[in-house]
Structures are given as structure tokens and as C-alpha cells.
């Protein structure tokens, strides 16, 4: 695929239609350098401004040269440059978490709404094969998505349909660790896939098609079960075993740190199917709570679990939840465009918040932000005029983005007796 066709593909799918400021993740390798030069050349065509984000992992002497080169490139091309130095015990997992935490922080602090990475079709096939090799469930064989929610915006991978061999061989840095068989991905890239491609020359393409078909299947199941509340016991128990299996898997996506074996999953499914309500411990600090009408998981034991009642906050008044108070008046950090009462309540299934260029379900927000499960159950949702205006969870405040042309009529102040104003 020629670079002009790539541009047409991006424009066709409107990957950047909702974004003005775009952060480009650049390692210095051939993939990310191609992405950087491509986006820099087509900023006007895509109506975007780019920033360059680089992480120096401090694992090779050459990393200092790469950092200096990218800094100079950014300066010469008047592109903002953001740098982080990795710290901690190095592994593929910790390095990846460090990078993406850094990218997210830059986006939040500098106003970027999209992070762009150079993952391509070969990476896609390798990812699906790696997950298959590790015994991942079907829902995790979908591979990487071209666009997904990330931090305060989206993660975009515009090169996912491009094979590495089709990328121009431009100036770049070679990372010698990419040749080491120490890492599973390198063994897949250098040995497993080439060997299997001798049996089927289109094996990598078949892996990508498997991911695509799996994705379609899961989207179809999601559409067909959209009206079923996953943890409503009455609705859940009416479904066929196959649908129950899917619904429970879907519900567990809210708990990324709860890694159940297949046997543990089957046991949990059986417990939820029992007639009598009960609470039981699962693993990793999680409890299963079975009530009359619903089931749910959290890290709060049966004796301490509680659900707080909703409260209505009228203009000129103050309401409190434990150590936190909310004052609706003329002072505070949250601008209010209406004097209508604000309902402060627990989160509900289907809640979503408007971040301006996109909406995000609060459930997905908590997953992306890695909010601990015990804090999610205590999240306070503020609703006014049937719209969610903010979510307060674990000391973090997530605000609805207002349009630019609004009139500020009041303000809302949040205070905690322990930590002061938020």
C-alpha cells in the first residue's frame, strides 16, 4: 500500500476527525519514524498538529544518541518534544506500562486528544498468535483495534493494514534487542511464523482474518445482548448456558486484575446460577455478592459493603458524603451552566460522560484509568438536566466537557476534610 493510499484510508475512516492535537509515540525504529514523517508531512491534509513523545529506556548506550537525534529533529521541525527516562526493574511488561502511563500523562497535561502508534499488520498477526499460544480466551484473539479509548481521548493505529515490507526504508535506528530470542515476540517473529508460513504462505493473513472475524462475532453478540443487564440475576438466569457464559465474561472485563482460570470461571458461573443468595470469597481479594435481584464482585467483604443513597443538591445548598462535601453556589472549581438541582448518586449500568469530541462509558473509563474495584463502588456521579456533569472516584475528578459558547451561571465546590479542596 503506497503512502498516498494510506492517507486516503485514514481520511476515509476519519481517524482524526475529532482531533486537533495528536501525540505521536516514537521509538526511533523504522516503523515509528515512518509514522512520524508521514503525519508531519500530512498535518495540513488531516487538520492536525503533532507532538513527539519518546521514552529512553536506558538499556543501551545507543539510546542517548537516539534521544538526542529525536530532540534535534523536533526542534528543527518546530514540533513539541516530550521525553521520559524509564526507571524501575526492566521487563517488556513494566516498560510498556511505563510508556503508556507517560503518554497518558502528556495527553492530560498538554491537551492532546489522540495518541498515535506505528503498529502494523505484522504486529497484528504476531499479537494474535502470541495470545493463541498463551491460551487466551476467544474474546482476546481480536488483536489490536485501529481506534480505541485511551486516557482522555483515543489511541489510533493508522498503519494496522500495512505490512512492514511496504514501509519505506528511511533513516532509523536499529535496536539490537529486536534480534534477541530472549523475548517471546522475537521468537514468534523470527522462528514460529516463518516456519508455519512454509506450510501456508498466507498464515499471517489468516491470523489477521481470525482476529477480524472474532471481533465481528463479539460485536454481534454485544448487539444481540445489549438489552440484558449483565448482573441482573433474573435476566441472567433466563438465558441459555451459552449466553450466560458470554455475559459473565463480559462482566469480568470490568476486573482486569482478577485473572480466573477456566475452572474458577466455571465455578463462579455455577455459584451465580444457585437459587439462594450468598456471599463468597473468590481470589485476589475479590468477593462474589449474591443478592435477591443482582450479583456483583468487589473487594469489600459482606459485612462492610454498603450502597449510599442518592442526594439532591440545590443551588445555595451543601450536601455531604462522609468526608466529602459539595457546595453549589458562586465559588468553586467546577463551572455550572445551569441552576437546576444536581443529583449526586452511585453509578448505574450504561452511564457515560461526554468529553467533547467523544463519549465514554464510565465503566470503560474506570477500566482505562485502572481505578481499583473497591473505589468504583464508592464513585459519586453528578447528574444535572439528565446529563452526567462529573464523576468523582478515589480522589480523581472527571469532568464533562462543555461547548465553548456557554454562559457560566454558578460554580460547584468540592471539599474533603482530610485533603482540602479538590
Amino acid at each position: 500500500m503506497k503512502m498516498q493510499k494510506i492517507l486516503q484510508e485514514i481520511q476515509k475512516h476519519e481517524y482524526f476527525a475529532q482531533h486537533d492535537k495528536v501525540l505521536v509515540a516514537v521509538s526511533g525504529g523504522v516503523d515509528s519514524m515512518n509514522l512520524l514523517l508521514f503525519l508531519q508531512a500530512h498535518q495540513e491534509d488531516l487538520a492536525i498538529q503533532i507532538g513527539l513523545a519518546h521514552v529512553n529506556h536506558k538499556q543501551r548506550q545507543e539510546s542517548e544518541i537516539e534521544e538526542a537525534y529525536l530532540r534535534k529533529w523536533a526542534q528543527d521541525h518546530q514540533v513539541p518534544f516530550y521525553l521520559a527516562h524509564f526507571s524501575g526493574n526492566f521487563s517488556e511488561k513494566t516498560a510498556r506500562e511505563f510508556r503508556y502511563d507517560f503518554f497518558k500523562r502528556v495527553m492530560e497535561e498538554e491537551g492532546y486528544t489522540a495518541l498515535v502508534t506505528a503498529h502494523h499488520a505484522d504486529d497484528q498477526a504476531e499479537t494474535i498468535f502470541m495470545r493463541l499460544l498463551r491460551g487466551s480466551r476467544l474474546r482476546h484473539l481480536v488483536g489490536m483495534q485501529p481506534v480505541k479509548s485511551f486516557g482522555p481521548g483515543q489511541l489510533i493505529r493508522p498503519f494496522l493494514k500495512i505490512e512492514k515490507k511496504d514501509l519505506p526504508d528511511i533513516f532509523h535506528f536499529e535496536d539490537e534487542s529486536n534480534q534477541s530470542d530472549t523475548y517471546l515476540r522475537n521468537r514468534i517473529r523470527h522462528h514460529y511464523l516463518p516456519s508455519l508460513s512454509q506450510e501456508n504462505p498466507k498464515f499471517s493473513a489468516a491470523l489477521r482474518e481470525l482476529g477480524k472475524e472474532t471481533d465481528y462475532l463479539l460485536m454481534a453478540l454485544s448487539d444481540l445482548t445489549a438489552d440484558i443487564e449483565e448482573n441482573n440475576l433474573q435476566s441472567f438466569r433466563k438465558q441459555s448456558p451459552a449466553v450466560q457464559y458470554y455475559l459473565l465474561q463480559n462482566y469480568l472485563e470490568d476486573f482486569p486484575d482478577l485473572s480466573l482460570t477456566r475452572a474458577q470461571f466455571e465455578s463462579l458461573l455455577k455459584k451465580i446460577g444457585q437459587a439462594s443468595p450468598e456471599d463468597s470469597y473468590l481470589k485476589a481479594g475479590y468477593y462474589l455478592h449474591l443478592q435477591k435481584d443482582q450479583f456483583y464482585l468487589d473487594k469489600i467483604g459482606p459485612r462492610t459493603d454498603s450502597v449510599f443513597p442518592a442526594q439532591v443538591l440545590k443551588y445555595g445548598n451543601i450536601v455531604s458524603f462522609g468526608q466529602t462535601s459539595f457546595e453549589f453556589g458562586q465559588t468553586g472549581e467546577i463551572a455550572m451552566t445551569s441552576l437546576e438541582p444536581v443529583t449526586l448518586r452511585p453509578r448505574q449500568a450504561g452511564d457515560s460522560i461526554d468529553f467533547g469530541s467523544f463519549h465514554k462509558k464510565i465503566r470503560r473509563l474506570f477500566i482505562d484509568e485502572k481505578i481499583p474495584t473497591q473505589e468504583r463502588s464508592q464513585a459519586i456521579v453528578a447528574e444535572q438536566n439528565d446529563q452526567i456533569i462529573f464523576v468523582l472516584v478515589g480522589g480523581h475528578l472527571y469532568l464533562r466537557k462543555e461547548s465553548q459558547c456557554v454562559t457560566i451561571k454558578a460554580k460547584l465546590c468540592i471539599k474533603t476534610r482530610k485533603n482540602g479542596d479538590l
Side-chain angles (χ1 to χ4, degrees):
M1 183 184 293
K2 302 298 184 182
M3 302 308 277
Q4 188 61 31
K5 288 187 177 180
I6 297 172
L7 175 62
Q8 293 171 358
E9 184 80 3
I10 291 172
Q11 292 173 324
K12 173 185 175 183
H13 292 286
E14 299 183 330
Y15 288 156
F16 298 105
Q18 300 178 352
H19 305 288
D20 298 320
K21 294 183 67 176
V22 170
L23 188 66
V24 188
V26 183
S27 66
V30 66
D31 308 338
S32 63
M33 289 302 296
N34 265 288
L35 177 65
L36 175 64
L37 296 185
F38 175 84
L39 291 178
Q40 192 268 338
H42 293 291
Q43 287 186 96
E44 186 173 338
D45 297 320
L46 299 172
I48 59 173
Q49 292 181 331
I50 66 169
L52 192 166
H54 175 69
V55 175
N56 183 339
H57 292 96
K58 296 285 187 177
Q59 301 300 304
R60 301 174 295 115
Q61 292 181 350
E62 296 83 359
S63 64
E64 305 304 318
I65 299 174
E66 294 165 7
E67 174 187 322
Y69 175 85
L70 292 174
R71 184 192 299 275
K72 180 70 163 53
W73 187 96
Q75 182 179 354
D76 291 345
H77 292 84
Q78 298 182 323
V79 171
F81 179 72
Y82 306 98
L83 173 71
H85 291 154
F86 176 82
S87 60
N89 295 323
F90 183 85
S91 70
E92 283 187 288
K93 182 176 183 294
T94 57
R96 184 184 186 281
E97 290 175 350
F98 182 91
R99 286 197 303 274
Y100 282 90
D101 285 345
F102 167 63
F103 298 148
K104 186 185 299 183
R105 188 168 66 251
V106 173
M107 291 174 69
E108 292 170 345
E109 294 175 356
E110 302 296 334
Y112 290 91
T113 58
L115 171 70
V116 193
T117 64
H119 293 101
H120 47 68
D122 294 28
D123 295 321
Q124 184 75 296
E126 291 165 9
T127 297
I128 294 170
F129 186 80
M130 182 186 295
R131 293 174 179 175
L132 187 65
L133 193 64
R134 287 173 168 168
S136 297
R137 293 184 181 277
L138 182 65
R139 67 172 47 244
H140 297 137
L141 299 183
V142 297
M144 296 175 284
Q145 301 299 309
V147 180
K148 62 172 287 186
S149 296
F150 177 76
Q154 293 180 322
L155 169 59
I156 301 175
R157 303 180 178 106
F159 282 8
L160 272 186
K161 292 185 178 180
I162 308 168
E163 294 185 23
K164 189 181 184 76
K165 65 180 177 62
D166 293 329
L167 292 173
D169 187 16
I170 60 173
F171 174 80
H172 64 279
F173 295 93
E174 288 288 354
D175 185 346
E176 61 184 17
S177 66
N178 289 333
Q179 305 304 317
S180 170
D181 286 344
T182 302
Y183 303 113
L184 174 60
R185 184 176 288 274
N186 288 349
R187 297 196 296 275
I188 290 172
R189 180 178 301 160
H190 299 147
H191 304 292
Y192 304 157
L193 289 183
S195 178
L196 291 167
S197 294
Q198 292 180 9
E199 301 293 337
N200 176 7
K202 296 185 178 180
F203 183 68
S204 291
L207 286 171
R208 294 194 292 270
E209 283 301 314
L210 171 65
K212 183 178 178 180
E213 288 195 18
T214 303
D215 192 27
Y216 278 144
L217 174 64
L218 293 173
M219 285 193 292
L221 286 171
S222 178
D223 290 343
L224 292 170
T225 58
D227 295 332
I228 303 174
E229 189 176 350
E230 294 164 352
N231 63 333
N232 182 297
L233 277 176
Q234 185 176 4
S235 298
F236 187 91
R237 288 170 175 166
K238 287 180 180 178
Q239 308 308 315
S240 69
V243 175
Q244 289 183 4
Y245 195 95
Y246 168 79
L247 290 174
L248 181 56
Q249 278 197 348
N250 225 33
Y251 178 73
L252 291 176
E253 288 294 296
D254 275 354
F255 309 93
D257 58 332
L258 176 61
S259 181
L260 296 179
T261 65
R262 281 175 168 76
Q264 290 167 338
F265 178 86
E266 295 288 351
S267 175
L268 175 60
L269 192 60
K270 184 177 179 180
K271 288 179 180 179
I272 294 172
Q274 293 173 348
S276 58
E278 65 175 31
D279 297 309
S280 59
Y281 181 74
L282 297 178
K283 63 180 292 188
Y286 281 97
Y287 291 84
L288 165 67
H289 300 270
L290 280 175
Q291 298 181 339
K292 181 180 179 181
D293 299 318
Q294 68 171 353
F295 72 87
Y296 64 96
L297 306 182
D298 65 21
K299 288 189 174 181
I300 303 176
R303 294 184 179 180
T304 61
D305 183 48
S306 63
V307 177
F308 60 86
Q311 295 194 54
V312 176
L313 173 61
K314 294 182 179 180
Y315 179 76
N317 289 355
I318 300 174
V319 300
S320 297
F321 289 86
Q323 301 291 322
T324 306
S325 66
F326 300 81
E327 182 176 357
F328 190 8
Q330 289 299 316
T331 60
E333 298 301 320
I334 303 176
M336 306 292 289
T337 60
S338 171
L339 297 180
E340 290 297 311
V342 175
T343 299
L344 300 168
R345 60 168 176 79
R347 71 179 177 118
Q348 300 171 356
D351 278 345
S352 67
I353 187 167
D354 182 4
F355 284 128
S357 58
F358 64 96
H359 284 74
K360 178 177 280 192
K361 286 192 173 182
I362 291 177
R363 167 188 168 188
R364 175 51 56 184
L365 175 69
F366 289 173
I367 294 173
D368 291 344
E369 294 297 307
K370 300 179 181 178
I371 302 296
T373 306
Q374 63 269 31
E375 293 182 0
R376 298 180 194 182
S377 63
Q378 300 300 316
I380 298 174
V381 174
E383 188 174 36
Q384 185 185 51
N385 296 325
D386 297 324
Q387 291 186 328
I388 292 175
I389 57 175
F390 68 79
V391 181
L392 177 66
V393 56
H396 301 281
L397 183 66
Y398 300 93
L399 287 169
R400 175 181 184 269
K401 186 173 181 180
E402 298 285 355
S403 60
Q404 293 182 350
C405 301
V406 295
T407 301
I408 305 302
K409 296 184 178 179
K411 292 186 177 180
L412 195 148
C413 180
I414 306 177
K415 294 182 179 180
T416 63
R417 274 178 277 182
K418 288 185 178 181
N419 301 321
D421 292 0
L422 287 176

